[in-house]
Amino acid sequence: MAEIITVDDPDDPRLSDYTGLTDVELRRRREPAEGLFIAEGEKVVRRARQAGYRMRSMLLSAKWADVMRDVIDEAAAPVYVVAPELAERVTGYHVHRGALASMQRKPLPAASDLLGGARRIAVMEAVNDHTNIGAIFRSAAALGMDAVLLSPDCADPLYRRSVKVSMGAVFSVPYARVETWPQGLEAVREAGFRLLALTPDARATAIDEAAPHRLDRAALMLGAEGDGLSARALRAADEWVRIPMAHGVDSLNVGAAAAVAFYAVATGRPGD
C-alpha cells in the first residue's frame, strides 16, 4: 500500500516532479531527460496504470484521496496530499481535475519493431502542437490505426497536454520515432506499406478514389498545422491523397483531417 503524506510546503523537494507544469520549454527538456511524464485526471491516471506505466508518485487534493483509493492501495509509490492552493503554487495552475501522477516512461521501441504486425499506421512530420498530437492519437486509437511513427522533430506524445487531450489514448497506440527523416521512410516502404501523403494539393487523388482501405498495408503521412508535409516528405511518398472540400474551404485542422483520413484508411480492411 502506498504511503499517504500530507505536505504543506510548496518548496518540499518531494514535489519536484510537479513544479512548473505550465513552463512548456522547461518540461519539454526535463521530462524526457528524467524519464517521467505527468498524467492528469482520474481517467488518465487509471489508463496509464492499466497500460503498465510505473507510478513514481501522486499529488492529490484531499477530496480525491477517496476517489483514487483503489489506485492508492495498489500503488507502491508515495501519495502527496495537498491543499488546492498549494497545488496551484507548485504546478503553476489550478488543478481542477484534482489528481496528478508522475509516471515512469518506458523505452521507446525502434520504428522497425512496430512494422511487422501492423497494417495501418500514421506517420507524422513536424507536428509540434501538443493539442494536435493528442487529438491525432485519440483518433488513431478510436479508428483502428495500429501504430504511429514520428519524425525526429515531432512533439512529445507524453507531454501533459498531449496526454490530456488524447484522454490517455497515447497509451493505447504504440509509437516510435524515425531516426532519419525522410530517409527512414524507405524502411516503411520495404516493409510492404504504401506511403500516402495527405495534402490539400489539387494534384492529389481524392482519398475515396485512392481507396486506401483496400490496400494490404497503408502508411498515412500527416504534416504540421499550416505548413503541411515538407517537399522532401512529399517526394518520399508513393501517392498524394486529399480530402475533398466544399464551400470554398481549402483544408481542415490537422487533427480533424487525421480523423477523416484514418476512417478512410482503416475501414473495411481486407479480411475484416
Side-chain angles (χ1 to χ4, degrees), residues 7-16 19 82 85-91:
V7 179
D8 55 15
D9 179 3
D11 296 319
D12 191 312
R14 293 175 294 184
L15 305 184
S16 64
T19 56
V82 300
E85 298 79 13
L86 188 141
E88 185 168 351
R89 290 177 65 185
V90 172
T91 64

Side-chain angles (χ1 to χ4, degrees), residues 7 9-24 26-40 54-60 76-80 82 86-87 89-93 95 99-105 158-160:
V7 179
D9 179 3
D11 296 319
D12 191 312
R14 293 175 294 184
L15 305 184
S16 64
D17 281 3
Y18 305 96
T19 56
L21 294 185
T22 58
D23 188 332
V24 178
L26 171 66
R27 301 302 301 197
R28 285 173 64 181
R29 293 192 305 271
R30 180 186 168 195
E31 290 184 9
E34 297 183 18
L36 68 93
F37 69 92
I38 299 298
E40 179 181 5
R54 183 178 68 82
M55 185 179 291
R56 292 162 59 108
S57 67
M58 292 184 72
L59 183 70
L60 304 175
V79 177
Y80 303 116
V82 300
L86 188 141
R89 290 177 65 185
V90 172
T91 64
Y93 73 105
V95 187
L100 294 171
S102 174
M103 312 296 294
Q104 189 71 38
R105 290 174 182 248
L158 293 183
Y159 181 73
R160 179 175 59 90

Side-chain angles (χ1 to χ4, degrees), residues 169-181:
V170 293
F171 310 138
S172 302
V173 183
Y175 69 93
R177 289 195 182 271
V178 178
E179 293 185 2
T180 57
W181 188 266

Side-chain angles (χ1 to χ4, degrees), residues 50-253:
Q50 291 165 1
Y53 288 94
R54 183 178 68 82
M55 185 179 291
R56 292 162 59 108
S57 67
M58 292 184 72
L59 183 70
L60 304 175
S61 57
K63 71 176 184 179
W64 281 90
D66 288 337
V67 175
M68 304 295 291
R69 174 58 59 181
D70 59 319
V71 176
I72 292 171
D73 289 345
E74 293 175 359
V79 177
Y80 303 116
V81 176
V82 300
E85 298 79 13
L86 188 141
E88 185 168 351
R89 290 177 65 185
V90 172
T91 64
Y93 73 105
H94 177 59
V95 187
H96 66 279
R97 291 177 180 261
L100 294 171
S102 174
M103 312 296 294
Q104 189 71 38
R105 290 174 182 248
K106 301 176 184 179
L108 278 185
S112 57
D113 293 340
L114 300 184
L115 299 177
R119 296 167 64 191
R120 299 290 183 267
I121 65 172
V123 182
M124 286 192 252
E125 180 191 37
V127 178
N128 47 35
D129 181 276
H130 293 106
T131 297
N132 285 335
I133 287 280
I136 291 169
F137 265 89
R138 188 172 185 180
S139 294
L143 297 169
M145 303 299 283
D146 298 317
V148 174
L149 299 185
L150 308 171
S151 70
D153 52 353
C154 272
D156 179 11
L158 293 183
Y159 181 73
R160 179 175 59 90
R161 180 66 178 167
S162 302
V163 174
K164 181 179 177 181
V165 170
S166 79
M167 290 298 292
V170 293
F171 310 138
S172 302
V173 183
Y175 69 93
R177 289 195 182 271
V178 178
E179 293 185 2
T180 57
W181 188 266
Q183 295 85 349
L185 294 176
E186 186 57 35
V188 180
R189 181 181 290 107
E190 290 175 355
F193 288 85
R194 185 166 177 80
L195 293 163
L196 305 175
L198 189 66
T199 172
D201 194 296
R203 293 170 293 177
T205 304
I207 197 165
D208 52 345
E209 294 178 15
H213 62 285
R214 295 178 181 170
L215 295 173
D216 184 54
R217 286 184 157 182
L220 183 70
M221 300 166 59
L222 303 161
E225 189 77 20
D227 293 336
L229 290 165
S230 68
R232 292 191 306 156
L234 288 169
R235 286 195 298 269
D238 295 310
E239 185 175 7
W240 296 5
V241 296
R242 60 181 173 84
I243 299 170
M245 299 282 112
H247 302 292
V249 177
D250 59 354
S251 63
L252 296 172
N253 164 277

Side-chain angles (χ1 to χ4, degrees), residues 35-52:
L36 68 93
F37 69 92
I38 299 298
E40 179 181 5
E42 177 190 1
K43 290 182 179 179
V44 173
V45 172
R46 291 182 184 279
R47 287 171 182 169
R49 290 274 293 159
Q50 291 165 1

